[in-house]
Amino acid sequence: MATPVLITWGTRPFAQRVAKLLPAAQPVLFCAADELPEVLLRSGNYLRAPRADSPAFVHEMLKICLDNNVKTLIPLGSNELYAMAEARQLFSEYGIAIWVPEVIDLAELAVIENPPRQLPLLLLHKGNAVTGAREDEQYDTLSGVFTPSDSGDELALCCIAD
């Protein structure tokens, strides 16, 4: 059985759109720091997450991943990006991949918050397209959710304004 992917900000339409980019057989869990209705929590597909400004945010996210056998975490909140980028090594020690660019790359990327629905999305892991691009295309070592520029020469990281 495949291990679930955890996507933050799971109650937002953008998170649902990202989930639809994953292979159909891939189980997906969502988490959110905002108030979750009990019906969502009882579904088993939604989890409460810590707020990104919490001092224990990274460690609480790690605990959520370990408790739910998550091997891939896709953080979508703009305030989560740097904390998660800095925590990539810690999570990798537990076999968990965080799909966010490395800190050095993150500082250089254009960021689009709350991307409109019409923008095409690329889901990348270590430079390889999971979906949204030809399989032979390589994008350095980038991980995360991106959209190509109009020329197709550059990528912008997509996230949710939080």
Short mmCIF file of all heavy atoms in Angstrom, two decimals, residues 17 23 32 37 49 54 62 87 100 107 113 141 157 159 161-162:
data_model
loop_
_atom_site.label_atom_id
_atom_site.label_comp_id
_atom_site.label_asym_id
_atom_site.label_seq_id
_atom_site.Cartn_x
_atom_site.Cartn_y
_atom_site.Cartn_z
N ARG A 17 -6.55 21.34 -5.66
CA ARG A 17 -6.05 21.30 -7.04
C ARG A 17 -4.70 20.58 -7.12
O ARG A 17 -4.46 19.78 -8.03
CB ARG A 17 -5.93 22.74 -7.55
CG ARG A 17 -5.55 22.85 -8.99
CD ARG A 17 -5.60 24.31 -9.43
NE ARG A 17 -4.93 24.46 -10.70
CZ ARG A 17 -4.35 25.56 -11.11
NH1 ARG A 17 -4.38 26.65 -10.37
NH2 ARG A 17 -3.76 25.61 -12.29
N PRO A 23 -0.81 11.18 -8.78
CA PRO A 23 -1.38 9.97 -9.38
C PRO A 23 -2.64 9.52 -8.62
O PRO A 23 -2.70 9.63 -7.40
CB PRO A 23 -0.25 8.94 -9.25
CG PRO A 23 0.99 9.74 -9.11
CD PRO A 23 0.61 11.01 -8.42
N ALA A 32 -4.63 21.36 8.16
CA ALA A 32 -4.89 22.80 8.16
C ALA A 32 -4.80 23.32 9.59
O ALA A 32 -5.20 22.64 10.53
CB ALA A 32 -6.26 23.10 7.56
N PRO A 37 -14.00 21.56 10.48
CA PRO A 37 -15.27 20.98 10.92
C PRO A 37 -15.07 19.52 11.34
O PRO A 37 -14.26 18.80 10.74
CB PRO A 37 -16.16 21.08 9.68
CG PRO A 37 -15.49 22.05 8.77
CD PRO A 37 -14.03 22.01 9.10
N ALA A 49 -3.33 20.89 12.03
CA ALA A 49 -1.91 21.21 11.93
C ALA A 49 -1.59 22.40 12.82
O ALA A 49 -2.47 23.21 13.13
CB ALA A 49 -1.57 21.55 10.48
N SER A 54 4.08 29.06 15.13
CA SER A 54 4.30 28.37 16.39
C SER A 54 5.78 27.99 16.51
O SER A 54 6.37 27.52 15.54
CB SER A 54 3.44 27.10 16.44
OG SER A 54 3.89 26.24 17.46
N LEU A 62 6.57 17.21 11.93
CA LEU A 62 7.30 15.94 11.89
C LEU A 62 6.50 14.85 12.61
O LEU A 62 6.36 13.74 12.11
CB LEU A 62 8.69 16.09 12.49
CG LEU A 62 9.55 14.83 12.53
CD1 LEU A 62 9.77 14.26 11.14
CD2 LEU A 62 10.87 15.12 13.22
N ALA A 87 14.07 22.67 7.34
CA ALA A 87 13.89 21.38 8.02
C ALA A 87 14.04 20.18 7.09
O ALA A 87 13.85 19.04 7.52
CB ALA A 87 12.52 21.35 8.69
N VAL A 100 9.59 21.32 -1.20
CA VAL A 100 9.77 22.76 -1.18
C VAL A 100 11.22 23.00 -1.60
O VAL A 100 12.08 22.16 -1.34
CB VAL A 100 9.45 23.34 0.23
CG1 VAL A 100 10.45 22.89 1.27
CG2 VAL A 100 9.36 24.86 0.22
N ALA A 107 15.09 31.75 -1.93
CA ALA A 107 15.38 33.19 -1.88
C ALA A 107 15.43 33.81 -3.28
O ALA A 107 15.19 35.01 -3.43
CB ALA A 107 16.70 33.43 -1.16
N GLU A 113 1.38 34.01 -4.92
CA GLU A 113 0.45 33.61 -3.86
C GLU A 113 -0.95 33.50 -4.43
O GLU A 113 -1.37 34.33 -5.24
CB GLU A 113 0.48 34.61 -2.71
CG GLU A 113 1.81 34.63 -1.98
CD GLU A 113 1.82 35.60 -0.82
OE1 GLU A 113 1.02 36.56 -0.81
OE2 GLU A 113 2.66 35.40 0.09
N THR A 141 17.19 21.06 -9.28
CA THR A 141 16.85 20.19 -8.15
C THR A 141 15.60 20.69 -7.44
O THR A 141 15.36 20.36 -6.29
CB THR A 141 18.01 20.13 -7.14
OG1 THR A 141 18.26 21.46 -6.66
CG2 THR A 141 19.27 19.56 -7.77
N LEU A 157 7.29 29.80 -7.96
CA LEU A 157 6.75 28.93 -6.92
C LEU A 157 5.35 29.39 -6.57
O LEU A 157 5.09 30.59 -6.43
CB LEU A 157 7.64 29.00 -5.67
CG LEU A 157 7.23 28.13 -4.49
CD1 LEU A 157 7.33 26.65 -4.83
CD2 LEU A 157 8.11 28.46 -3.28
N CYS A 159 2.04 29.27 -3.96
CA CYS A 159 1.68 28.98 -2.58
C CYS A 159 0.40 29.72 -2.20
O CYS A 159 -0.17 30.45 -2.99
CB CYS A 159 2.82 29.38 -1.65
SG CYS A 159 3.16 31.15 -1.60
N ALA A 161 -1.28 32.42 0.38
CA ALA A 161 -0.97 33.52 1.30
C ALA A 161 -1.60 33.19 2.65
O ALA A 161 -2.78 32.90 2.72
CB ALA A 161 -1.51 34.84 0.77
N ASP A 162 -0.79 33.21 3.69
CA ASP A 162 -1.33 32.90 5.02
C ASP A 162 -1.01 33.94 6.03
O ASP A 162 -0.38 34.78 6.12
CB ASP A 162 -0.88 31.52 5.50
CG ASP A 162 0.62 31.26 5.44
OD1 ASP A 162 1.37 32.11 4.94
OD2 ASP A 162 1.03 30.19 5.90
#
